[in-house]
Amino acid sequence: MSSIGQGSISIDDSTRIGENAQDTANKVAGNVNDINSDNKLTPTEKLKLKQEYDKDLKLYAIDVSQLQSAGIPTTELDSALSNLTNFVTPLFKEMNRTSTVDRNALDSVFTAFVTADKNSSQVFVNMVQQVADDAKKAGSDAKEVGKKAQEAGEEAKASAGQAQVDATQAKADAATAQQALNNIHLSVKNADGSTSTFNMNGNTILMDTAQTIINGKASILDASIDTAKIANAAINTAQIADGAINNAKIANASIDDAKINSLNGNKLVENSIAASKINVDDLIANGINTKTLTSVNLNTSTLTTPNLDLGFNGTFTEDFDYTQNASMFLPKKNKGTLTFNHGVLQSSGNMQTYVGGQWGGMNSNYNFQAGIDNSQWTEVAPGYIKLDLFRQDDANFVERTYIDPTGYYYKSGNGIASYLGNVLQTPQVQTPSLIGKYIGPSAGQLRLQIGSNGKDFGLQVGSYGGGEGVLSDFIYNTTSSGSSNVHITENGRLVRTTSASKYKYNIKNPDIETTLGDRLLNVHLATWNDKRAVDSYAEQLSTGEEREKSSIDKYYGLIAEQLRDAGLDMFINYGKNHEIEGIQYDRAWVPLLSVIRRLNNKVNEYELRISKLEGKINE
């Protein structure tokens, strides 16, 4: 297997591609030669020629893809296809008419394309073979390189043995040097007769000198400083780890970036701690073991805490003044006070609503008036929600909404009260605004029923016969001799079907009329049983539950998918997601007019011929 371009193609693949291209080319040439040898190209011959041209387009697409992946130029093949396309395109413009054609030129452009395709395929096969040969040679070279690498490995192994001997000697020398470093004793005699001594052994460093200066960062680990005094000192970025400072005094000192892990019972008295942040968890972990702050004023704009416990009967109060964005749904402008008291969230204030580009409220006549406001009272408590809106001129409420587990309640201050209650248990909505005669369960089914004259209903929507449906006895009982003119769209909308030109744009008579008629003759009659009716009947037999009666007898007609396969998808109805739903039976037969017209012309021609023959016989 060898790789060419972006794809991976084997020798067998290339051979098969070449053979397939040759076979297809021979078939195309043969099919073109089968067309009648006169200089007239009939609609039937055009259709056959179009089929062969479409095959060449598919062959071209496959071959160009393979050639481009291998980096092979397609100039010859592109030119041959261009010449072929330029020749046949005018012939295809009028598929239902006979055209004059140069048969030799027609054969020449098809033959040129076949030859170009064959040549390109052979170039492709040759390149694949060359790649395979190169890969075989590369394998031989790699084998020789591997042999040389093995010889180099043997030499490296010998060098490694000598390196091991050298390493052992170096280790011994290092041990000798370390022993010398483990014991160091230095002595310096000063000008005044004194002596400074530096002594270091395995675990001790002794510096006996009048003054010791350490310049730079220092760390003192596991140290004990007893009764020491550091006066007027600055210790910047120092660390004393696991050490103890006992009975020590740091006077007039600055300690920056330091951390005190434990006070050991000592106190910070009359001191000032200036900080931008005190982390309570750090205080607890480091010795201040309490979460209670008594008689403390916290002057801060933000208090961040995962839990705020107000305790038993805790309260808080907040004043608010906000204006919502006018683009929101029914925006509000509100100013007042919010309190949390004994488990009840209460809000009182003056409120306006944005209506028609103006801020305003409800006046004494219960109409919106710009520029005024209404006082509001809101309660959100365990078990209920209460919303009150009061008139501007007195304490009477304008509207009240109340919700609790028993249902939803609404009342208006003008005396027109509405009560909805629990919508799941209340069979009817108590309001005069609905024109529905009945909403609720009927004979065990949930339905909306509008209008009736006894046993017949004007409209029913809901459950029926084990399914959902829309029914109307009034429509069923009203008959007409007119043709069907109602259509249901894919969105479930009822529309009226029309045929007059006043409802149409861009009216034309297509040239493919004859072709569509011939295609329709290839579609055959089909029979079937309705799926929904059969499934409903089977469920009724298994459960014993009475269902809507529908016929399970055979139906006769056409299958939409067969019309699509015949190239007649313009007479198919598509639903959501472009799924096939049905056939436009009212217009699918129209292409047969061209077939009948053609047959009628033939009959007239034959009758004329017969008439002439009869005349000659009678002479």
Side-chain angles (χ1 to χ4, degrees), residues 16 18 48 57 65 94 111 120 122 196 202 308 325 374 450 456 469 483 488 490 504 516 523 537 541 561 565 613 617:
R16 184 171 63 255
K48 186 175 181 181
L57 291 179
S65 176
E94 297 181 333
T111 302
S120 300
Q122 187 59 48
S196 298
L308 180 61
N325 191 295
N374 299 104
I450 302 178
D456 293 336
S483 58
I488 302 177
E490 60 271 19
K504 297 173 172 61
L516 295 180
V523 181
Y537 184 66
L541 293 177
E561 285 80 2
D565 296 341
L613 290 175
I617 293 174

Side-chain angles (χ1 to χ4, degrees), residues 29-49:
N31 291 334
V32 173
N33 291 333
D34 286 342
I35 299 177
N36 294 339
S37 58
D38 57 15
N39 63 344
K40 300 294 183 181
L41 199 63
T42 66
T44 302
E45 290 175 323
K46 285 184 177 181
L47 181 60
K48 186 175 181 181
L49 191 66

Side-chain angles (χ1 to χ4, degrees), residues 460-514:
Q460 296 185 85
V461 179
S463 301
Y464 181 80
E468 308 301 326
V470 178
L471 304 91
S472 175
D473 296 319
F474 290 1
I475 295 176
Y476 180 78
N477 294 332
T478 304
T479 61
S480 171
S481 297
S483 58
S484 302
N485 67 346
V486 176
H487 173 70
I488 302 177
T489 69
E490 60 271 19
N491 296 320
R493 183 170 184 173
L494 293 176
V495 296
R496 180 166 59 94
T497 302
T498 63
S499 298
S501 61
K502 64 182 179 180
Y503 298 110
K504 297 173 172 61
Y505 288 119
N506 196 24
I507 299 175
K508 295 180 180 179
N509 297 111
D511 295 334
I512 60 174
E513 181 181 11
T514 303

